Amino acid sequence: MPPNVSEAGVLTKDFAAVSIAHNIANDTDSTATKLASLIKTGQARITTAQSIVDNAAGSEAFKVGKDAVGSLLAPVKDVVAILDLVGSVHPAVSAAVAVVKIVVQLELNRLENDKHIAALYFSMSDLLFVLAYLDPVFKDDDGLRSQLEKQLKDITANINSFGNFCDEYYKHKSVVRTIFSTRYKGQLADFAKNFTDQKGELQFLITQKSAATVTAMKGSLDSMTKKMDKLVQFLDKKSPDEQKVADMVASHGGEAAVVGDEKLLNSIGSKLGEKMTSDIKQDMKFTLRSSLDDALQANHAMYNLKFDAVRSQLEHAIQHSTETILSRLDSGPHDLIHDEDIRTIWKAVHHHFSQKFASHQRTTGQIHPDFWTLNYMSKVIFHPAIGDAIDEDSSGYLSVTEVDHFFQKKPKEWSSSEWIAYWAAGWYKNTILFKHRCMALITSLEAGRATVVPANKEYMEWYYTDKEGLSAIRLIVDSIYTNVLGYHGERFAGGSDRLHALRSERMASEIESMKSQLSKPKYQLDDEDSVLAVCGAQQMELSFMCLTYLLLLRHKKILDLAQKYVLSDEEFWTMGQSIFSLQGAFDKRYRDLMEGWRQQRLDIDVQLQSFAAGMFEAWHMENYEDDSDSDSESEGENEESGTDNEEGNNQEEVAAEAEQPVDGSGDKDDAPDTKQGDGEDKAKEAIGTEAKSEPAGTDGGEESDDSSSDDSDDGDDASVVDEKAAAEEEPANPLDILVFALPTPQPEVVEKPAQVTGNEEADEDEDVDNAAPKKRKQSKLERRVAAIETKLDSIEKILKDAKLDGIEKLLQEMLLATKGNTQP
């Protein structure tokens, strides 16, 4: 019977104290019925998967298509549902359930699943299916129960190791996995054997406890699981093309010989229908350098990052589902919103706060400290930004859960109105600041490319020249509009001091949090999932600029080391892979947004210009314009709106000086001055380790950029906080930031003089190695004298040339006159 209204009210008000497991345990008949239904469905799917393994193992023409791979993965979904039910009755299973869910979800999130991995998921499902019959073992608290708990821990550890193996395995393209198939063969077989052995141990444990359970299991599990050799045969089987490649690798002396043969690699690629790109060739070369055990060990940090991210997503989804189920039928959606202020203002945000602030003034005689936030809640121009921050799935509709989750993320010290105001304008202003920092870093990275140690140059070309490399990040970053608020006359909105303080606090917190995430895998991003794991949310545009800034900052530090040391070529490859992963995740988010906008029949051009300050617009124009529904006229209009970079800058500078909106909302601001000296200066200021200390609020020169050409008009203390944090985090040994050890022995490298970056005389003084003050002054004087002499020589030459020119002209005139007088 469903709970009555009063009981439901209790559950809604104090859900944290309610044990769902207790409710399910009270209805054992219902649990048994559900379990029986799930077992029946699971058995059918396991039988289907087993037949695929058997047929493929015994077939000469081995071929497993996408449908077959899907059938191999299908049983694990049923097992997850079964374990959910069993775990609710027997908490000892819960730990295993949590790991299984996450590992399975990581696999299901992949765009393409490998047949060998899918076969192992089938084997894992077969093992976990036995857990549906655990009830007798848990009834008595005897030795078998503790033995079972130990076995569950071993199973959980094995499944977690399997998840790490899958993550490392999928790092490599299919052609690489095919060429190195012998590298993975033993590990695949080991997991298959472990799953089979652990299943046998569980069955033996259960048969000791209950003969009735043995009888029940006889007709199901025994008939479904064939001999271990069938699965091993499946793992060994190759398609005809894969077999040809394996024969070629073996006949030419193994993987090492193949990787060094360019012609042979291209031949293998053509047989497998793959183009042997430079990154694939690099991947193969690096794969040769380390054993699989070393690679798996190195991958743990990255895998744990993704594991934790998926766990958070699943916990959030479960909470959402449970709260929806337990809500009272007669309650409004506002009852599920936990925040005290927002729960009362579901339909009238501005009205609620204006009344609240007015009441405060009547009572105390003073203006409420949050009164300034009304400006951001009352004006329509800020509403889209607030809505986009709340709308997690970008559906265009705000659900109760999304609103609740939005305010759960609010810092404890902030008021609800401050949190709303931050997302109305503060996030945008911080994004502008991140844009300028990123553009300065990109400029510095591009300038530093020419001055690295020569041995490093050949390995870093693709980081710069590949379409998906640094140029792709520049395209995204430069796409952000920086004059939106100015265009609407909101550049100098009230309450800017408090908003600036909130911005500073939020920026410092976001940077610190993201640094913590990035430090786990040493700033490596090996695929799209790792990017999303660091961002921590589906709305990656909200944290994309912070992530990009920190990643470029790390790359700048590595490039600084490359000016002095010969680095491992893997270091540059990892840098490139991180950039590719970043833009790959960005592209996926773009496609998800486009699909949602089209389904809602929205104007795509308007959405691209307004969403996330135009972050996705240039990406669309560069990569998808030909495939979109927008006509060529819109492209022409965009070209006209940004025809002349210099003219655009001049317009913005004049508009800023006159405190008037920039004329034309379509113009994006141009990047900061891209001269090499300025780029180096700004990048050093962003890094914080080389910049000189600046008074709070000055930001080392970046301030003027923000206040003169965009909406960041109110100073940038946040950047000062960031510089201090960056300096404090610096390791004692700068080489510790490297992922890979320096090659040895290091060739002797001549120290490069520091680049002149503005204060020439000061920088030159610092280049005199350990000179005494008097000697430095003498050296400085000598350079000045030499410079003056050079200038005097130049002046003398000019005067001399001018004098000679005058004499030559006079002689020509005299000669002409003489000729005229001598003619008859």
Side-chain angles (χ1 to χ4, degrees):
M1 293 293 291
N4 57 39
V5 174
S6 60
E7 289 173 339
V10 172
L11 292 178
T12 305
K13 291 180 180 178
D14 193 16
F15 172 63
V18 176
S19 171
I20 298 177
H22 177 70
N23 291 335
I24 296 176
N26 287 339
D27 194 355
T28 54
D29 292 338
S30 175
T31 301
T33 301
K34 291 178 183 177
L35 190 59
S37 176
L38 290 171
I39 289 174
K40 183 177 180 180
T41 303
Q43 284 176 346
R45 287 182 176 151
I46 285 182
T47 301
T48 301
Q50 184 68 62
S51 65
I52 291 173
V53 172
D54 291 344
N55 292 335
S59 173
E60 292 295 331
F62 172 78
K63 186 175 182 180
V64 177
K66 288 186 177 180
D67 291 341
V69 170
S71 296
L72 290 172
L73 286 172
V76 79
K77 300 176 185 177
D78 298 308
V79 166
V80 167
I82 289 172
L83 293 183
D84 256 340
L85 197 57
V86 174
S88 66
V89 180
H90 304 300
V93 183
S94 299
V97 176
V99 172
V100 170
K101 277 186 174 182
I102 296 169
V103 173
V104 169
Q105 192 61 51
L106 284 168
E107 183 65 28
L108 296 179
N109 286 344
R110 303 188 196 282
L111 298 177
E112 186 175 353
N113 307 102
D114 182 86
K115 56 182 177 288
H116 297 125
I117 298 297
L120 286 177
Y121 269 99
F122 155 67
S123 180
M124 185 177 78
S125 302
D126 196 33
L127 153 67
L128 297 173
F129 209 85
V130 180
L131 298 178
Y133 299 91
L134 285 179
D135 196 59
V137 182
F138 282 107
K139 285 184 177 178
D140 300 319
D141 190 7
D142 55 15
L144 290 180
R145 182 170 177 176
S146 60
Q147 189 177 343
L148 173 62
E149 291 176 353
K150 181 181 180 303
Q151 287 189 11
L152 287 173
K153 288 181 180 179
D154 292 341
I155 290 171
T156 303
N158 189 41
I159 292 174
N160 202 28
S161 296
F162 176 60
N164 183 49
F165 170 82
C166 292
D167 191 60
E168 164 62 26
Y169 185 80
Y170 279 113
K171 275 185 179 181
H172 310 286
K173 302 282 181 149
S174 59
V175 62
V176 181
R177 299 198 299 261
T178 300
I179 292 175
F180 286 87
S181 59
T182 55
R183 172 187 177 93
Y184 303 107
K185 177 181 176 181
Q187 190 70 60
L188 289 168
D190 286 346
F191 279 119
K193 184 177 185 304
N194 288 341
F195 289 145
T196 301
D197 291 347
Q198 288 175 333
K199 176 190 172 182
E201 292 169 0
L202 276 180
Q203 284 180 312
F204 178 75
L205 189 65
I206 294 173
T207 56
Q208 285 184 294
K209 192 68 180 178
S210 173
T213 302
V214 176
T215 304
M217 293 171 63
K218 277 285 185 185
S220 57
L221 297 178
D222 289 353
S223 62
M224 288 184 289
T225 305
K226 306 296 182 180
K227 293 181 179 180
M228 173 68 185
D229 58 3
K230 287 287 186 182
L231 184 57
V232 173
Q233 288 177 33
F234 179 92
L235 297 174
D236 284 343
K237 280 286 184 178
K238 297 178 177 62
S239 68
D241 287 337
E242 290 171 342
Q243 188 58 55
K244 289 179 183 177
V245 170
D247 293 341
M248 291 172 68
V249 172
S251 62
H252 285 81
E255 294 95 340
V258 170
V259 171
D261 191 329
E262 190 84 11
K263 185 176 179 180
L264 183 59
L265 278 179
N266 292 331
S267 176
I268 289 175
S270 63
K271 287 186 182 300
L272 297 175
E274 293 275 359
K275 185 179 179 181
M276 301 299 289
T277 59
S278 59
D279 58 322
I280 290 179
K281 293 174 184 176
Q282 288 278 43
D283 186 9
M284 287 189 287
K285 183 170 69 172
F286 299 148
T287 301
L288 280 172
R289 293 184 181 178
S290 61
S291 66
L292 180 57
D293 288 341
D294 290 340
L296 291 172
Q297 181 63 35
N299 190 65
H300 263 300
M302 182 67 69
Y303 169 69
N304 290 336
L305 182 69
K306 299 174 188 177
F307 186 95
D308 291 340
V310 172
R311 177 169 54 192
S312 297
Q313 293 169 8
L314 293 176
E315 287 174 352
H316 177 58
I318 292 170
Q319 182 183 9
H320 176 199
S321 175
T322 306
E323 288 179 344
T324 302
I325 292 171
L326 294 179
S327 62
R328 293 186 313 181
L329 295 177
D330 63 343
S331 65
H334 53 276
D335 288 332
L336 290 178
I337 302 174
H338 296 160
D339 187 276
E340 183 178 354
D341 283 324
I342 303 304
R343 186 164 59 243
T344 63
I345 55 158
W346 177 253
K347 294 183 178 180
V349 175
H350 179 265
H351 175 74
H352 167 78
F353 281 114
S354 62
Q355 293 295 316
K356 179 178 178 179
F357 297 161
S359 174
H360 175 85
Q361 188 169 4
R362 286 194 301 269
T363 305
T364 65
Q366 297 178 346
I367 296 176
H368 194 284
D370 292 345
F371 182 81
W372 63 274
T373 63
L374 291 178
N375 178 64
Y376 298 99
M377 286 182 273
S378 62
K379 296 188 177 180
V380 176
I381 64 165
F382 298 114
H383 292 178
I386 299 171
D388 290 340
I390 301 174
D391 189 8
E392 294 179 351
D393 59 3
S394 302
S395 64
Y397 300 94
L398 304 184
S399 68
V400 175
T401 303
E402 287 174 334
V403 174
D404 193 27
H405 192 223
F406 172 74
F407 285 101
Q408 286 177 6
K409 293 185 290 185
K410 174 180 68 66
K412 293 181 180 179
E413 299 79 12
W414 292 26
S415 67
S416 298
S417 57
E418 287 177 333
W419 187 234
I420 293 172
Y422 169 78
W423 287 105
W427 173 85
Y428 170 61
K429 287 172 174 282
N430 279 0
T431 297
I432 293 172
L433 183 54
F434 276 131
K435 170 182 176 172
H436 288 328
R437 293 184 183 181
C438 289
M439 292 302 292
L441 283 167
I442 291 171
T443 298
S444 182
L445 283 165
E446 290 172 341
R449 171 187 177 188
T451 56
V452 299
V453 174
N456 290 324
K457 288 185 178 180
E458 63 175 302
Y459 299 116
M460 56 195 307
E461 288 301 311
W462 66 304
Y463 177 86
Y464 293 98
T465 59
D466 196 292
K467 185 181 178 182
E468 297 177 340
L470 193 62
S471 59
I473 302 303
R474 175 186 278 277
L475 178 72
I476 297 169
V477 171
D478 203 24
S479 184
I480 294 170
Y481 286 90
T482 60
N483 59 346
V484 174
L485 300 184
Y487 177 74
H488 289 284
E490 291 293 333
R491 176 174 289 149
F492 304 102
S496 59
D497 289 343
R498 179 56 183 159
L499 180 61
H500 173 63
L502 296 174
R503 285 175 52 205
S504 300
E505 182 181 336
R506 179 66 181 175
M507 178 176 279
S509 173
E510 185 179 14
I511 288 175
E512 191 61 34
S513 174
M514 194 158 286
K515 278 182 178 177
S516 176
Q517 288 290 83
L518 284 169
S519 63
K520 296 173 184 176
K522 296 200 75 169
Y523 285 72
Q524 298 176 85
L525 301 174
D526 63 348
D527 59 16
E528 296 169 9
D529 287 338
S530 62
V531 176
L532 296 178
V534 171
C535 289
Q538 183 180 355
Q539 302 158 280
M540 70 168 299
E541 63 276 359
L542 300 182
S543 53
F544 178 84
M545 292 302 296
C546 180
L547 172 57
T548 302
Y549 163 63
L550 290 176
L551 192 63
L552 294 177
L553 193 60
R554 174 54 62 101
H555 290 180
K556 173 63 172 63
K557 293 176 182 178
I558 294 173
L559 194 69
D560 288 344
L561 292 174
Q563 310 291 320
K564 181 178 180 181
Y565 300 98
V566 175
L567 307 187
S568 168
D569 50 352
E570 291 181 83
E571 198 75 48
F572 299 114
W573 187 79
T574 301
M575 287 169 58
Q577 187 63 41
S578 297
I579 290 292
F580 298 159
S581 299
L582 184 62
Q583 64 86 22
F586 183 86
D587 181 69
K588 184 178 184 300
R589 176 59 173 163
Y590 160 84
R591 288 184 277 110
D592 289 343
L593 289 169
M594 289 293 288
E595 182 179 354
W597 292 337
R598 287 192 172 112
Q599 288 178 355
Q600 297 173 59
R601 305 294 191 270
L602 299 176
D603 187 313
I604 298 300
D605 289 339
V606 172
Q607 292 298 316
L608 287 168
Q609 290 171 11
S610 59
F611 184 81
M615 189 181 295
F616 293 88
E617 185 180 25
W619 188 260
H620 169 80
M621 298 292 291
E622 178 72 18
N623 299 295
Y624 292 95
E625 177 65 18
D626 293 339
D627 301 329
S628 69
D629 296 331
S630 50
D631 54 32
S632 58
E633 292 180 4
S634 65
E635 185 175 0
E637 291 170 1
N638 278 300
E639 288 176 354
E640 289 178 7
S641 67
T643 51
D644 192 311
N645 290 343
E646 185 175 355
E647 181 182 352
N649 267 343
N650 291 336
Q651 287 178 351
E652 288 196 5
E653 289 172 3
V654 172
E657 290 174 1
E659 296 187 6
Q660 296 293 329
V662 178
D663 185 18
S665 62
D667 293 340
K668 296 186 183 226
D669 85 318
D670 296 297
D673 190 354
T674 55
K675 286 187 267 185
Q676 180 170 334
D678 287 348
E680 290 290 336
D681 280 346
K682 289 181 180 178
K684 288 180 179 180
E685 288 167 8
I687 294 170
T689 56
E690 297 177 335
K692 295 182 179 179
S693 300
E694 298 288 342
T698 61
D699 196 24
E702 207 166 40
E703 167 79 283
S704 60
D705 231 359
D706 295 337
S707 60
S708 64
S709 62
D710 54 48
D711 294 317
S712 293
D713 55 272
D714 51 359
D716 288 303
D717 289 344
S719 59
V720 178
V721 172
D722 177 29
E723 286 183 10
K724 290 178 180 177
E728 290 170 359
E729 190 197 64
E730 288 300 313
N733 181 4
L735 295 175
D736 288 344
I737 70 170
L738 299 176
V739 179
F740 301 94
L742 291 178
T744 54
Q746 280 281 305
E748 292 186 8
V749 179
V750 178
E751 287 279 355
K752 296 180 184 298
Q755 292 186 357
V756 178
T757 58
N759 190 347
E760 184 175 2
E761 292 180 356
D763 287 346
E764 288 177 345
D765 284 347
E766 291 173 2
D767 290 341
V768 181
D769 295 333
N770 301 319
K774 184 175 180 180
K775 198 167 185 177
R776 287 201 299 269
K777 289 180 180 179
Q778 183 180 357
S779 176
K780 179 178 177 180
L781 180 61
E782 289 173 351
R783 289 197 298 272
R784 284 185 173 180
V785 170
I788 293 172
E789 289 177 347
T790 301
K791 290 180 180 179
L792 287 174
D793 289 342
S794 300
I795 294 171
E796 183 180 357
K797 185 176 185 302
I798 292 171
L799 292 173
K800 184 178 180 181
D801 291 342
K803 186 176 180 181
L804 288 174
D805 287 344
I807 294 172
E808 184 179 359
K809 185 177 180 181
L810 180 62
L811 289 173
Q812 287 176 347
E813 290 176 353
M814 292 175 62
L815 181 61
L816 289 173
T818 303
K819 287 182 178 180
N821 293 331
T822 56
Q823 288 180 354

